[in-house]
Amino acid sequence: AQSVTQLDSHVSVSEGTPVLLRCNYSSSYSPSLFWYVQHPNKGLQLLLKYTSAATLVKGINGFEAEFKKSETSFHLTKPSAHMSDAAEYFCVVSGYGNKLVFGAGTILRVKS
Amino acid sequence: NAGVTQTPKFQVLKTGQSMTLQCAQDMNHEYMSWYRQDPGMGLRLIHYSVGAGITDQGEVPNGYNVSRSTTEDFPLRLLSAAPSQTSVYFCASSYRAGDTDTQYFGPGTRLTVL
């Protein structure tokens, strides 16, 4: 069975400083991993996905994530936060038959 | 392409009432699914379908029914609404059921059961 743990329920950064959202996963086989973003009262948008190709994955809006099998981690980073990045972020693992297992979410706050 | 559409956007029901949440996609995707989102719990899979005429249960199927008579549509039925079904419901679709296939989400339906 797959599971996902997002290590921080809330993260607060200042505009222009780096963002780090942490995610650990558990999977019985080589997983596909995703990060989705949800802005307030909106649907979910795919930021990036890992599917066993390059371990460093680049996504939209300057976000990237690194797959580390030895640490079972898939942390999301961005060098410089923007006010528009304030949202909730979900780390997701895909199971057999494309059943998605979501983490509990991390709310990112960006201070001006 | 409109992508994944959901209706209604908001709904208030009384306990015991029934209703259908509509979901449609115009991308010719084989795979469709329903999730519910509750605070602090992420999204949880209710039901899914790998093609017309084929449906199966997800993690939290109790109290919900689905059918898939066409590729485009995947309605979710609440037969007798309960307050525990107050949630935000998201429909998603992907080209196939492979674990690398990206799922695209609709805008959601916010349901309140009194």
Side-chain angles (χ1 to χ4, degrees):
Chain A
Q2 279 97 348
S3 66
V4 173
T5 302
Q6 292 184 242
L7 298 170
D8 306 290
S9 59
H10 293 79
V11 170
S12 182
V13 301
S14 296
E15 191 175 23
T17 64
V19 175
L20 170 63
L21 306 183
R22 299 182 295 165
C23 172
N24 286 350
Y25 70 91
S26 173
S27 177
S28 54
Y29 57 89
S30 184
S32 293
L33 293 158
F34 306 79
W35 277 97
Y36 281 86
V37 60
Q38 184 180 32
H39 288 91
N41 299 312
K42 299 290 186 183
L44 284 84
Q45 180 183 20
L46 179 70
L47 276 179
L48 50 82
K49 70 177 184 179
Y50 166 78
T51 59
S52 75
T55 57
L56 183 62
V57 182
K58 294 188 183 298
I60 62 172
N61 300 333
F63 285 94
E64 62 182 37
E66 185 171 9
F67 174 74
K68 292 187 176 180
K69 185 175 180 179
S70 60
E71 299 176 9
T72 61
S73 69
F74 190 57
H75 301 335
L76 182 70
T77 60
K78 183 174 181 177
S80 176
H82 190 272
M83 295 296 291
S84 62
D85 294 327
E88 188 164 18
Y89 292 78
F90 294 98
C91 183
V92 183
V93 63
S94 178
Y96 176 76
N98 208 9
K99 300 176 196 176
L100 300 183
V101 176
F102 282 74
T106 298
I107 295 173
L108 176 64
R109 178 187 171 211
V110 182
K111 298 175 289 185
S112 60
Chain B
N1 285 353
V4 180
T5 58
Q6 293 182 238
T7 56
K9 292 192 70 174
F10 302 93
Q11 183 70 50
V12 179
L13 293 177
K14 295 180 179 179
T15 297
Q17 287 185 316
S18 63
M19 81 158 296
T20 299
L21 307 185
Q22 301 291 344
C23 174
Q25 52 89 12
D26 61 357
M27 298 175 282
N28 201 31
H29 284 174
E30 289 190 358
Y31 184 90
M32 297 186 73
S33 55
W34 277 101
Y35 293 83
R36 60 176 288 172
Q37 181 179 26
D38 301 295
M41 302 185 72
L43 279 73
R44 292 178 293 167
L45 180 64
I46 304 172
H47 285 286
Y48 65 98
S49 169
V50 299
I54 306 170
T55 64
D56 206 346
Q57 297 180 350
E59 179 185 356
V60 288
N62 292 342
Y64 308 95
N65 281 352
V66 293
S67 60
R68 183 100 179 267
S69 57
T70 67
T71 299
E72 295 79 17
D73 301 295
F74 191 44
L76 178 72
R77 297 183 187 84
L78 284 71
L79 299 178
S80 179
S84 61
Q85 294 178 304
T86 294
S87 188
V88 182
Y89 292 85
F90 289 98
C91 180
S93 74
S94 63
Y95 182 58
R96 294 203 189 278
D99 61 358
T100 62
D101 286 293
T102 299
Q103 292 195 38
Y104 297 90
F105 285 82
T109 294
R110 186 174 296 272
L111 176 67
T112 302
V113 183
L114 303 176

